[in-house]
Structures are given as structure tokens and as C-alpha cells.
Amino acid sequence: GQSLEQPSEVTAVEGAIVQINCTYQTSGFYGLSWYQQHDGGAPTFLSYNALDGLEETGRFSSFLSRSDSYGYLLLQELQMKDSASYFCAPGNFNKFYFGSGTKLNVKP
Amino acid sequence: SAVISQKPSRDICQRGTSLTIQCQVDSQVTMMFWYRQQPGQSLTLIATANQGSEATYESGFVIDKFPISRPNLTFSTLTVSNMSPEDSSIYLCSVLSGARSGANVLTFGAGSRLTVL
């Protein structure tokens, strides 16, 4: 079966750094993806880890530890436009299941 | 990445009726996925639709309630049958595309927001 855990809500101020954790249990795990969704919008891809370690894409980084079934998304230099929901999505190569999502509130 | 046109964007439906959602992709894709998202909630995978074969449904979803068609590599439909208020949700289609080597990326349509009265 599948199980995913991530915090439901996080609040931070502009310019700060925030980390969103994700623990998962999924059969046939292949990689961990992260998606961003603004209110009323569709999810959009942010980052992907197939191997252990850190992947950096601009202000966003994502980390994976396969042995711990754990990953996180790190957002640096927070901006107001980063206020959105963030979903981790472990996949078994051709199928992705989404976590409950973390609502990030960025305050001035 | 692929561009997906999904329609209707929203609809208000009567209990007991059925509605078909269409998803058109601007390129040929092997795998298409249908998700459901209730307001403020996560995305739940309904089924995987491959061209030329029957859709594969996730636990809790059945073909009689959510029949899917996949007539070619650029198009799919999801029908929500015999609707009840519990079916009020956003339905999203998505396709797999590789953003970069080794990464399987999902691209989503804008979603169809259904309200069942």
C-alpha cells in the first residue's frame, strides 16, 4: 500500500528559508517528485530525486534518502509568490501518488 | 513539455446525471492519468489510461462509475456516471513527459470543477 506524510501547513516570512519534509511508504519506489499548486491552479512540477542526495534548481532544492524513505523540499529566499501548496509524490516510474500537501504561507 | 486542453473547465450538474470530461494533448503520449482533487485536499489517482488497452483503476474506483476512453495517443475522456453530491470535485488529467534525463514529470490540465446538486 501507500502512505505519505507531510506537514499540513507552514508559515514563514519573506526572505527566509523553509523546509518541507515528506516521509513515504510505497511499493516499487523509483523516485520522489515535488509539485507546487497555487489556489485555483493546476499542479506544476518543481523537482525530482531518483538518487540519494540533494538536487538544486535555483531557489528550490530537494533531498532524498532512500534508506530512510524520506525527502524534503527546501525553499530559499522566500517570496510572496511562493505561497502555495506543495505536494511530494513518490512514484514507481510510471505512476505517482500525491501526499496530503503542505500549505505554505509567506508573510511580509 | 506537453500542453493539455481540458474541458469543461467547470460545470454544475444534477444528481443522477453523467458528465464527460475531455482531455486533448498537443503531442502523442503513451500514458495519461486521471486524478480527483477535492477542495483543499490532495490529488487522488483514479486511473491510468493507455491507448489500445483498458484503463487501470486504483482501489476505490470502478469502471462503471468512471468509464474512460483512450481512442488515440492525444485524447482521453473520463465520464463521471450517476453523479451524487459526493462526486463534487476537481478532476484533472495529466500526462508523463520527461523534463530532463531520468525525471518523469507529470503535466496537468487546468482541471474540471464539477458541482453536483
Side-chain angles (χ1 to χ4, degrees):
Chain A
Q2 315 285 333
S3 73
L4 290 162
E5 287 189 20
Q6 51 180 127
S8 60
E9 193 164 355
V10 173
T11 300
V13 297
E14 269 188 301
I17 299 173
V18 71
Q19 179 174 314
I20 300 173
N21 299 320
C22 173
T23 57
Y24 61 87
Q25 283 188 333
T26 184
S27 58
F29 177 79
Y30 188 81
L32 185 69
S33 300
W34 288 90
Y35 287 79
Q36 179 191 60
Q37 186 179 33
H38 286 98
D39 284 346
T44 56
F45 172 80
L46 284 179
S47 189
Y48 176 79
N49 295 73
L51 303 175
D52 285 0
L54 195 67
E55 288 280 341
E56 297 181 71
T57 309
R59 293 188 298 116
F60 296 172
S61 303
S62 58
F63 172 83
L64 175 66
S65 169
R66 297 173 72 97
S67 60
D68 295 324
S69 296
Y70 165 77
Y72 66 73
L73 179 70
L74 191 72
L75 299 89
Q76 302 182 71
E77 301 174 18
L78 281 175
Q79 302 175 9
M80 296 298 292
K81 67 179 181 179
D82 297 329
S83 292
S85 292
Y86 293 84
F87 296 90
C88 63
N92 61 4
F93 185 76
N94 61 5
K95 195 177 289 189
F96 292 85
Y97 300 93
F98 284 72
S100 55
T102 298
K103 185 173 177 60
L104 172 63
N105 302 301
V106 181
K107 298 193 177 302
Chain B
S1 59
V3 176
I4 301 174
S5 299
Q6 186 175 339
K7 60 181 181 181
S9 58
R10 61 178 62 233
D11 207 338
I12 299 173
C13 309
Q14 296 298 317
R15 183 194 300 258
T17 63
S18 298
L19 182 79
T20 295
I21 301 166
Q22 299 180 9
C23 184
Q24 179 75 53
V25 190
D26 69 341
S27 57
Q28 294 185 336
V29 293
T30 304
M31 307 189 73
M32 295 181 74
F33 305 88
W34 288 97
Y35 286 86
R36 182 172 73 182
Q37 185 177 32
Q38 296 183 317
Q41 303 297 314
S42 183
L43 291 87
T44 302
L45 181 62
I46 298 172
T48 303
N50 292 335
Q51 193 267 337
S53 63
E54 293 283 335
T56 304
Y57 289 83
E58 297 297 307
S59 176
F61 297 95
V62 295
I63 187 171
D64 290 346
K65 176 67 176 177
F66 298 100
I68 288 171
S69 79
R70 183 79 202 275
N72 57 53
L73 290 173
T74 63
F75 188 78
S76 179
T77 68
L78 169 76
T79 298
V80 186
S81 303
N82 188 24
M83 286 185 285
S84 66
E86 292 70 35
D87 295 318
S88 296
S89 192
I90 300 169
Y91 294 83
L92 300 115
C93 69
S94 67
V95 302
L96 266 181
S97 58
R100 62 178 192 272
S101 176
N104 280 322
V105 177
L106 288 177
T107 300
F108 286 85
S112 299
R113 181 184 293 268
L114 303 187
T115 302
V116 184
L117 303 178

